[in-house]
Amino acid sequence: MTGGFLTLAVAGAAVPASATENNAAPAESTLEMPTVSATLASTAAQTADATQQAASDYELQAQKDQAAAHAKAAAKKAKAEAERKAKEAREAARKAAAKRAAETKAQAAKASRSAERTTLSTTTSVSNASGNAATLISFLKAQLGKAYVLGSSGPSSYDCSGLTQAAFKQVGVSLPRVSQDQSTTGTPVSLDSLQPGDLLYWGSAGSAYHVGVYVGGGKFIGAQNSSTGIVERPLDYDMPTGAVRVL
């Protein structure tokens, strides 16, 4: 072996006759083959190591990328959940505030009605009614318990304006037949200065949908509906809109 090549001597199996005639020696050929040196082996090993390291690096980077993607998705989900909870908390706070405001308003309205009823109770009473007012109230009390029938004017049943028309007729006052017209008859008075015998109405003046009569003591009498008939009720049972004085 010389210079990294291996030399092989190959002898011929048969020698032509012409070659032997001159006593020539048998032909010999030489083949040179490359051999693997230590340097080549080392280079191959290093290349293999580098390839394996690169594969490991790619795998590690892929794992990092996957972990980052998962973390991003988790962060996005957590943000969405936090925003949802914050929205729910704001909505709950808004509803709670609205409920407190409504309760406060209702309490204030109730206190106002109570104060108004107390004022009426202390400033007017049935005993203050005299003359025509007393006669009017006496007639109304005699009708308590009778039936409510739409369009009826008595004597066994009434609707709201039929009852008030019949009552005021007892003292010589002629009222229109329907509540809309009755609500504009007489002199308007405020609800905090009512007197027994004042005509009460519900709805706006000229467009009233119900009427009754204030009888003192913070109460009124009216033909309410077909379920209750003619009843006596406190004003805060159903506060009227306004009142007129016709006596």
Side-chain angles (χ1 to χ4, degrees), residues 9-104:
V10 180
V15 179
S18 59
T20 59
E21 291 178 354
N22 298 319
N23 296 320
E28 184 181 268
S29 63
T30 301
L31 297 177
E32 295 184 348
M33 299 179 64
T35 61
V36 179
S37 67
T39 301
L40 183 59
S42 176
T43 300
Q46 291 175 359
T47 301
D49 290 343
T51 301
Q52 184 175 3
Q53 182 62 44
S56 298
D57 291 343
Y58 286 138
E59 183 178 3
L60 179 60
Q61 185 61 44
Q63 291 175 351
K64 289 181 179 179
D65 293 343
Q66 186 178 20
H70 288 168
K72 184 177 180 180
K76 184 177 181 181
K77 183 178 181 181
K79 181 181 179 182
E81 181 67 12
E83 291 177 348
R84 182 185 66 79
K85 289 183 177 180
K87 182 178 180 181
E88 290 179 350
R90 290 193 298 268
E91 182 65 14
R94 184 190 66 78
K95 289 182 178 180
K99 182 179 180 180
R100 288 194 297 270
E103 291 175 347
T104 300

Side-chain angles (χ1 to χ4, degrees), residues 44-162:
Q46 291 175 359
T47 301
D49 290 343
T51 301
Q52 184 175 3
Q53 182 62 44
S56 298
D57 291 343
Y58 286 138
E59 183 178 3
L60 179 60
Q61 185 61 44
Q63 291 175 351
K64 289 181 179 179
D65 293 343
Q66 186 178 20
H70 288 168
K72 184 177 180 180
K76 184 177 181 181
K77 183 178 181 181
K79 181 181 179 182
E81 181 67 12
E83 291 177 348
R84 182 185 66 79
K85 289 183 177 180
K87 182 178 180 181
E88 290 179 350
R90 290 193 298 268
E91 182 65 14
R94 184 190 66 78
K95 289 182 178 180
K99 182 179 180 180
R100 288 194 297 270
E103 291 175 347
T104 300
K105 184 177 180 180
Q107 291 173 354
K110 183 177 180 180
S112 177
R113 291 194 299 268
S114 178
E116 185 175 359
R117 185 176 68 253
T118 300
T119 300
L120 290 171
S121 298
T122 56
T123 58
T124 61
S125 64
V126 177
S127 62
N128 291 336
S130 60
N132 288 342
T135 301
L136 174 69
I137 294 170
S138 178
F139 173 82
L140 289 169
K141 287 185 176 292
Q143 311 311 308
L144 291 174
K146 289 185 178 181
Y148 173 96
V149 176
L150 183 63
S152 179
S153 299
S156 59
S157 62
Y158 300 86
D159 63 12
C160 66
S161 56

